[in-house]
Amino acid sequence: MRDGLDWRTARPGLAGLLGPPLAWFLLFFAVPIAVVWAYSFGTNVGVAGIEISGTFANYARALEPLYLRILAKSLAFAALATLICLLVGFPVALAISFAAPRLKAVLLVGIMLPFWTNLLIRTYALIALLRDEGLINQGLLWAFGWAGFEPLPMMNSNFAVMVGLVYVHLPFTVLPLYAALDRLDRSLLEASLDLGAGHLRTIWYVVLPLASAGIASAVLLTFIPVLGSYLAPDLLGGPDSQMIANVIERQFKRANDWPFGAALAFLLMYVTFIGIALQSAHRRRIDAE
């Protein structure tokens, strides 16, 4: 350490700083996660008992075709929602990064404003928009009622679920994209434009490669929450719109099969770990270049 101090002499102070947050992490995160992980190797005993028997039967059941299809559909939903968020969020983040300082602050507050409202309230607001008697259909009926317009069936469908997923998770894409784009060296963009490249070619050949690490972070930060989302499919979707998180929720609440629910939850967590590992490998490759 500087000023002749050795880190060994600072152990008491370091322990005092790290002790409370580390104890909080262990008590309220690591221990509960470890308990749920242990449940995934257990079996139900009696009405409310769980015996940790070390069985892999729950994971074998989780790998049955029925649950693999639900997991695959969840992955497809998450990938599509992430792609839409990326296509919508990138121009928004680019516009914010080039905005004037005062306008930039206003736009960032607008992006973060949904976080100040409860997720359940935001989802019910979408129901008020998408239902047959909702604001969208009422507006279309007012505009095209003379042509025999019939309300569009948007609720209880995959379309409604996708709208809910994109609406809820779009800020998770915009904010890391903005953080990456705001750090770009503007002189490189000016050089590209001065050398004859148009705006689209500059974005494709200069901005995207330089912001690739931020794009990877945005994809990861969006994909993981979407994959674990259960409120939008539950309230906006129909019987064919259920995702893997809805199945996990039913195992813990309705079916009271905690071992199987824990196995499904950790199967989802293993998929998440794979995504994090791929993002880390991409980041190391970018740093090495």
mmCIF file of all heavy atoms in Angstrom, residues 111-129:
data_model
loop_
_atom_site.group_PDB
_atom_site.id
_atom_site.type_symbol
_atom_site.label_atom_id
_atom_site.label_comp_id
_atom_site.label_asym_id
_atom_site.label_seq_id
_atom_site.Cartn_x
_atom_site.Cartn_y
_atom_site.Cartn_z
ATOM 1 N N ILE A 111 -35.939 7.368 -19.071
ATOM 2 C CA ILE A 111 -35.677 5.938 -19.214
ATOM 3 C C ILE A 111 -35.813 5.224 -17.863
ATOM 4 O O ILE A 111 -36.341 4.105 -17.781
ATOM 5 C CB ILE A 111 -34.259 5.715 -19.787
ATOM 6 C CG1 ILE A 111 -34.188 6.227 -21.235
ATOM 7 C CG2 ILE A 111 -33.879 4.235 -19.733
ATOM 8 C CD1 ILE A 111 -35.096 5.480 -22.188
ATOM 9 N N MET A 112 -35.361 5.876 -16.797
ATOM 10 C CA MET A 112 -35.401 5.249 -15.470
ATOM 11 C C MET A 112 -36.729 5.425 -14.755
ATOM 12 O O MET A 112 -36.973 4.787 -13.734
ATOM 13 C CB MET A 112 -34.278 5.821 -14.598
ATOM 14 C CG MET A 112 -32.883 5.455 -15.087
ATOM 15 S SD MET A 112 -31.578 6.046 -13.987
ATOM 16 C CE MET A 112 -31.660 7.814 -14.319
ATOM 17 N N LEU A 113 -37.598 6.271 -15.293
ATOM 18 C CA LEU A 113 -38.871 6.554 -14.640
ATOM 19 C C LEU A 113 -39.720 5.305 -14.390
ATOM 20 O O LEU A 113 -40.354 5.195 -13.326
ATOM 21 C CB LEU A 113 -39.655 7.576 -15.464
ATOM 22 C CG LEU A 113 -40.850 8.246 -14.791
ATOM 23 C CD1 LEU A 113 -40.389 9.015 -13.554
ATOM 24 C CD2 LEU A 113 -41.558 9.172 -15.765
ATOM 25 N N PRO A 114 -39.782 4.343 -15.324
ATOM 26 C CA PRO A 114 -40.586 3.146 -15.032
ATOM 27 C C PRO A 114 -40.139 2.383 -13.792
ATOM 28 O O PRO A 114 -40.956 1.709 -13.155
ATOM 29 C CB PRO A 114 -40.403 2.288 -16.302
ATOM 30 C CG PRO A 114 -40.098 3.277 -17.367
ATOM 31 C CD PRO A 114 -39.293 4.346 -16.705
ATOM 32 N N PHE A 115 -38.844 2.459 -13.424
ATOM 33 C CA PHE A 115 -38.378 1.762 -12.237
ATOM 34 C C PHE A 115 -38.991 2.334 -10.962
ATOM 35 O O PHE A 115 -38.948 1.699 -9.911
ATOM 36 C CB PHE A 115 -36.849 1.833 -12.136
ATOM 37 C CG PHE A 115 -36.146 1.026 -13.182
ATOM 38 C CD1 PHE A 115 -35.272 1.619 -14.071
ATOM 39 C CD2 PHE A 115 -36.357 -0.338 -13.294
ATOM 40 C CE1 PHE A 115 -34.611 0.876 -15.037
ATOM 41 C CE2 PHE A 115 -35.712 -1.090 -14.259
ATOM 42 C CZ PHE A 115 -34.841 -0.491 -15.132
ATOM 43 N N TRP A 116 -39.557 3.545 -11.043
ATOM 44 C CA TRP A 116 -40.151 4.166 -9.858
ATOM 45 C C TRP A 116 -41.584 3.699 -9.632
ATOM 46 O O TRP A 116 -42.230 4.130 -8.677
ATOM 47 C CB TRP A 116 -40.120 5.696 -10.005
ATOM 48 C CG TRP A 116 -38.753 6.261 -10.177
ATOM 49 C CD1 TRP A 116 -37.566 5.589 -10.074
ATOM 50 C CD2 TRP A 116 -38.403 7.611 -10.516
ATOM 51 N NE1 TRP A 116 -36.508 6.424 -10.319
ATOM 52 C CE2 TRP A 116 -36.990 7.678 -10.587
ATOM 53 C CE3 TRP A 116 -39.139 8.756 -10.750
ATOM 54 C CZ2 TRP A 116 -36.312 8.851 -10.899
ATOM 55 C CZ3 TRP A 116 -38.459 9.927 -11.060
ATOM 56 C CH2 TRP A 116 -37.069 9.975 -11.125
ATOM 57 N N THR A 117 -42.098 2.872 -10.541
ATOM 58 C CA THR A 117 -43.454 2.358 -10.440
ATOM 59 C C THR A 117 -43.403 0.842 -10.269
ATOM 60 O O THR A 117 -42.585 0.166 -10.889
ATOM 61 C CB THR A 117 -44.268 2.707 -11.701
ATOM 62 O OG1 THR A 117 -44.185 4.108 -11.943
ATOM 63 C CG2 THR A 117 -45.723 2.316 -11.540
ATOM 64 N N ASN A 118 -44.284 0.321 -9.449
ATOM 65 C CA ASN A 118 -44.322 -1.111 -9.189
ATOM 66 C C ASN A 118 -44.577 -1.884 -10.480
ATOM 67 O O ASN A 118 -45.379 -1.474 -11.323
ATOM 68 C CB ASN A 118 -45.419 -1.407 -8.164
ATOM 69 C CG ASN A 118 -45.426 -2.868 -7.751
ATOM 70 O OD1 ASN A 118 -46.063 -3.694 -8.397
ATOM 71 N ND2 ASN A 118 -44.731 -3.184 -6.681
ATOM 72 N N LEU A 119 -43.886 -3.017 -10.630
ATOM 73 C CA LEU A 119 -44.010 -3.829 -11.842
ATOM 74 C C LEU A 119 -45.441 -4.315 -12.046
ATOM 75 O O LEU A 119 -45.937 -4.365 -13.174
ATOM 76 C CB LEU A 119 -43.048 -5.023 -11.755
ATOM 77 C CG LEU A 119 -43.110 -6.037 -12.891
ATOM 78 C CD1 LEU A 119 -42.821 -5.376 -14.235
ATOM 79 C CD2 LEU A 119 -42.132 -7.171 -12.631
ATOM 80 N N LEU A 120 -46.118 -4.665 -10.967
ATOM 81 C CA LEU A 120 -47.500 -5.142 -11.085
ATOM 82 C C LEU A 120 -48.406 -4.048 -11.641
ATOM 83 O O LEU A 120 -49.265 -4.310 -12.492
ATOM 84 C CB LEU A 120 -47.995 -5.613 -9.720
ATOM 85 C CG LEU A 120 -49.383 -6.265 -9.684
ATOM 86 C CD1 LEU A 120 -49.406 -7.521 -10.538
ATOM 87 C CD2 LEU A 120 -49.781 -6.586 -8.252
ATOM 88 N N ILE A 121 -48.201 -2.817 -11.176
ATOM 89 C CA ILE A 121 -49.019 -1.703 -11.672
ATOM 90 C C ILE A 121 -48.758 -1.469 -13.150
ATOM 91 O O ILE A 121 -49.684 -1.226 -13.941
ATOM 92 C CB ILE A 121 -48.723 -0.429 -10.852
ATOM 93 C CG1 ILE A 121 -49.154 -0.633 -9.396
ATOM 94 C CG2 ILE A 121 -49.429 0.776 -11.450
ATOM 95 C CD1 ILE A 121 -48.808 0.519 -8.491
ATOM 96 N N ARG A 122 -47.490 -1.547 -13.562
ATOM 97 C CA ARG A 122 -47.166 -1.355 -14.978
ATOM 98 C C ARG A 122 -47.787 -2.447 -15.841
ATOM 99 O O ARG A 122 -48.242 -2.190 -16.969
ATOM 100 C CB ARG A 122 -45.653 -1.333 -15.167
ATOM 101 C CG ARG A 122 -45.001 -0.042 -14.711
ATOM 102 C CD ARG A 122 -43.518 -0.053 -15.006
ATOM 103 N NE ARG A 122 -42.772 -0.798 -14.003
ATOM 104 C CZ ARG A 122 -41.590 -1.346 -14.208
ATOM 105 N NH1 ARG A 122 -41.039 -1.282 -15.398
ATOM 106 N NH2 ARG A 122 -40.960 -1.967 -13.240
ATOM 107 N N THR A 123 -47.826 -3.676 -15.319
ATOM 108 C CA THR A 123 -48.425 -4.769 -16.090
ATOM 109 C C THR A 123 -49.929 -4.595 -16.215
ATOM 110 O O THR A 123 -50.502 -4.828 -17.285
ATOM 111 C CB THR A 123 -48.097 -6.114 -15.425
ATOM 112 O OG1 THR A 123 -46.678 -6.234 -15.250
ATOM 113 C CG2 THR A 123 -48.575 -7.269 -16.290
ATOM 114 N N TYR A 124 -50.577 -4.166 -15.137
ATOM 115 C CA TYR A 124 -52.011 -3.903 -15.218
ATOM 116 C C TYR A 124 -52.309 -2.719 -16.141
ATOM 117 O O TYR A 124 -53.381 -2.671 -16.767
ATOM 118 C CB TYR A 124 -52.592 -3.665 -13.832
ATOM 119 C CG TYR A 124 -52.978 -4.943 -13.125
ATOM 120 C CD1 TYR A 124 -52.258 -5.407 -12.031
ATOM 121 C CD2 TYR A 124 -54.068 -5.689 -13.563
ATOM 122 C CE1 TYR A 124 -52.606 -6.589 -11.389
ATOM 123 C CE2 TYR A 124 -54.425 -6.872 -12.927
ATOM 124 C CZ TYR A 124 -53.691 -7.314 -11.835
ATOM 125 O OH TYR A 124 -54.047 -8.485 -11.217
ATOM 126 N N ALA A 125 -51.378 -1.764 -16.215
ATOM 127 C CA ALA A 125 -51.555 -0.670 -17.163
ATOM 128 C C ALA A 125 -51.558 -1.189 -18.598
ATOM 129 O O ALA A 125 -52.318 -0.701 -19.448
ATOM 130 C CB ALA A 125 -50.454 0.369 -16.965
ATOM 131 N N LEU A 126 -50.719 -2.187 -18.879
ATOM 132 C CA LEU A 126 -50.732 -2.793 -20.204
ATOM 133 C C LEU A 126 -52.047 -3.513 -20.474
ATOM 134 O O LEU A 126 -52.536 -3.514 -21.610
ATOM 135 C CB LEU A 126 -49.565 -3.774 -20.338
ATOM 136 C CG LEU A 126 -48.176 -3.161 -20.523
ATOM 137 C CD1 LEU A 126 -47.128 -4.257 -20.589
ATOM 138 C CD2 LEU A 126 -48.118 -2.306 -21.776
ATOM 139 N N ILE A 127 -52.606 -4.145 -19.437
ATOM 140 C CA ILE A 127 -53.912 -4.788 -19.612
ATOM 141 C C ILE A 127 -54.958 -3.756 -20.004
ATOM 142 O O ILE A 127 -55.811 -4.001 -20.869
ATOM 143 C CB ILE A 127 -54.313 -5.522 -18.315
ATOM 144 C CG1 ILE A 127 -53.353 -6.684 -18.039
ATOM 145 C CG2 ILE A 127 -55.745 -6.041 -18.406
ATOM 146 C CD1 ILE A 127 -53.623 -7.409 -16.743
ATOM 147 N N ALA A 128 -54.900 -2.579 -19.363
ATOM 148 C CA ALA A 128 -55.848 -1.510 -19.703
ATOM 149 C C ALA A 128 -55.682 -1.048 -21.143
ATOM 150 O O ALA A 128 -56.633 -0.561 -21.758
ATOM 151 C CB ALA A 128 -55.667 -0.336 -18.747
ATOM 152 N N LEU A 129 -54.488 -1.209 -21.698
ATOM 153 C CA LEU A 129 -54.247 -0.818 -23.088
ATOM 154 C C LEU A 129 -54.642 -1.913 -24.072
ATOM 155 O O LEU A 129 -55.198 -1.635 -25.144
ATOM 156 C CB LEU A 129 -52.775 -0.464 -23.291
ATOM 157 C CG LEU A 129 -52.251 0.822 -22.663
ATOM 158 C CD1 LEU A 129 -50.744 0.907 -22.854
ATOM 159 C CD2 LEU A 129 -52.928 2.040 -23.286
#
